[in-house]
Amino acid sequence: MRYLIGTNIKMYLGYRESLRWLADMNRDVPETDLADAALFPPMLSLVNGRDLISKRNISLGAQNVCWSHEGPYTGEISPLVLRELGIPYAELGHHERRLYFNETDRTVAKKISAALFCGLKTLVCVGEDADRRDSGAEEFARDQIQALLAGNSDAPPERLVVAYEPRWAIGVAEAAPPEHARRCCDAIRGKLVEIFGPENGREIRIIYGGSVKLEDAADMLEQKNINGLFIGRAALDTKNFAKVVEIAARQAEADQNGGGAARRPASKKPRAAKKPRL
Ligand code: 13P
């Protein structure tokens, strides 16, 4: 499986800064068949930003879309217009959209359907609040996957990505422990297999997001059902982001060679052996 390293840059950059950031990403991210990069810059920079991306493994996406492709919806962004612009991804259901803009599983599910209908790929965010952190996180993730994706069980797996982003781990100092992320991503994989069937359910990429830093990448990516990362603040530094893509490509290569951890730089602590991927 090709890994996916995404970044949601939220509203951290202005228009010109976003264009500079996209150009720097295109310069720094390594072009590889083993790992893709999906960049979600501020919305208005997508139009001109698209021309700054030339590497075949880098895609752009919108941080939100409307649940309809056309009609009387003042101020909304049509997924059809994104398609027209050649923007392949829509990020849907991010915690901040739920927290500040009242999105619910029901509205997010509608957005997923609209985006898929318009031919976009969807990156769907799930994850529990702090009160579920120590008990019931897996069940919460499974229930969210059911509510968000069961209505689109015929969607091609390459058009879906699930981002597991525990809400308590977003915008803080430390990412969730890899063991916690592993348990929840395993539960998500089980639910995806239930909804999409064994073959398609195993092809959908599951990525971890929430305060990821460069030094977290290798430990997270060696977990069997973590097929990439979704990065916020740490990706403002494009060289950092590019290094994470390199680490993902190394892990993908190790997987192809029969599983196991990718070789790390000598200064890093050794890791436990990794189970083969599903
Ligand atoms: P941070 O990496 O800044 O915590 O943001 C993560 C995130 O919300 C990605 O969608």
Side-chain angles (χ1 to χ4, degrees), residues 67 93 98 102-114 143-144 146-149 152:
W67 38 255
R98 294 169 181 270
N102 306 321
E103 291 194 12
T104 62
D105 282 345
R106 190 166 156 273
T107 49
V108 176
K110 284 175 72 177
K111 288 177 180 219
I112 294 167
S113 296
D143 288 351
Q144 271 198 316
Q146 174 72 26
L148 298 177
L149 293 178
N152 280 294

Side-chain angles (χ1 to χ4, degrees), residues 6-10 12 40 91 94-96 123 125 163 165-167 169-175 208-213 229-236:
T7 169
N8 167 20
I9 219 64
K10 310 189 182 187
Y12 287 132
F40 294 80
E91 174 190 349
H94 189 275
H95 167 53
E96 287 147 18
L123 187 152
C125 302
E165 301 205 295
R167 297 170 190 178
I170 293 175
V172 295
E174 300 291 334
Y208 168 82
S211 301
V212 172
K213 296 182 289 306
L229 296 168
F230 203 29
I231 307 177
R233 292 156 294 163
L236 286 166

Side-chain angles (χ1 to χ4, degrees), residues 28-263:
D28 294 338
V29 168
E31 198 161 23
T32 163
D33 290 331
L34 298 167
D36 295 321
L39 314 179
F40 294 80
M43 196 76 81
L44 292 175
S45 63
L46 287 171
V47 179
N48 289 322
R50 197 188 34 163
D51 297 336
L52 301 171
I53 301 298
S54 59
K55 289 184 175 163
R56 64 180 190 282
N57 60 328
I58 306 181
S59 300
L60 294 184
Q63 296 174 17
N64 177 35
V65 299
C66 183
W67 38 255
S68 176
H69 62 285
E70 62 173 9
Y73 305 111
T74 303
E76 286 292 319
I77 305 285
S78 163
L80 198 56
V81 171
L82 291 170
R83 178 66 198 260
E84 191 184 345
L85 287 170
I87 305 297
Y89 274 101
E91 174 190 349
L92 299 169
H94 189 275
H95 167 53
E96 287 147 18
R97 301 269 343 144
R98 294 169 181 270
L99 182 64
Y100 303 121
F101 305 102
N102 306 321
E103 291 194 12
T104 62
D105 282 345
R106 190 166 156 273
T107 49
V108 176
K110 284 175 72 177
K111 288 177 180 219
I112 294 167
S113 296
L116 289 171
F117 173 77
C118 293
L120 300 182
K121 298 181 184 183
T122 58
L123 187 152
V124 177
C125 302
V126 298
E128 79 282 1
D129 277 314
D131 61 348
R132 297 280 197 128
R133 174 184 173 154
D134 297 324
S135 163
E138 296 99 314
E139 190 189 352
F140 187 83
R142 273 194 295 266
D143 288 351
Q144 271 198 316
I145 294 290
Q146 174 72 26
L148 298 177
L149 293 178
N152 280 294
S153 59
D154 55 351
E158 65 278 9
R159 301 251 309 273
L160 296 170
V161 177
V162 173
Y164 168 63
E165 301 205 295
R167 297 170 190 178
W168 48 269
I170 293 175
V172 295
E174 300 291 334
E179 171 57 21
H180 180 96
R182 181 194 66 73
R183 277 192 283 107
C184 290
C185 291
D186 286 354
I188 290 169
R189 176 68 71 211
K191 192 71 195 174
L192 292 174
V193 164
E194 200 182 301
I195 294 174
F196 293 90
E199 203 173 311
N200 287 355
R202 285 185 184 125
E203 253 185 64
I204 297 170
R205 290 184 284 193
I206 304 172
I207 65 179
Y208 168 82
S211 301
V212 172
K213 296 182 289 306
L214 176 58
E215 52 272 31
D216 302 313
D219 284 334
M220 285 290 183
L221 290 174
E222 71 177 69
Q223 311 300 323
K224 184 178 67 176
N225 283 313
I226 299 185
N227 317 120
L229 296 168
F230 203 29
I231 307 177
R233 292 156 294 163
L236 286 166
D237 178 337
T238 58
K239 290 201 177 344
N240 243 340
F241 182 86
K243 282 185 198 145
V244 177
V245 176
E246 270 169 38
I247 292 168
R250 277 207 298 275
Q251 184 63 57
E253 198 172 15
D255 295 348
Q256 282 179 1
N257 294 333
R263 209 148 26 94

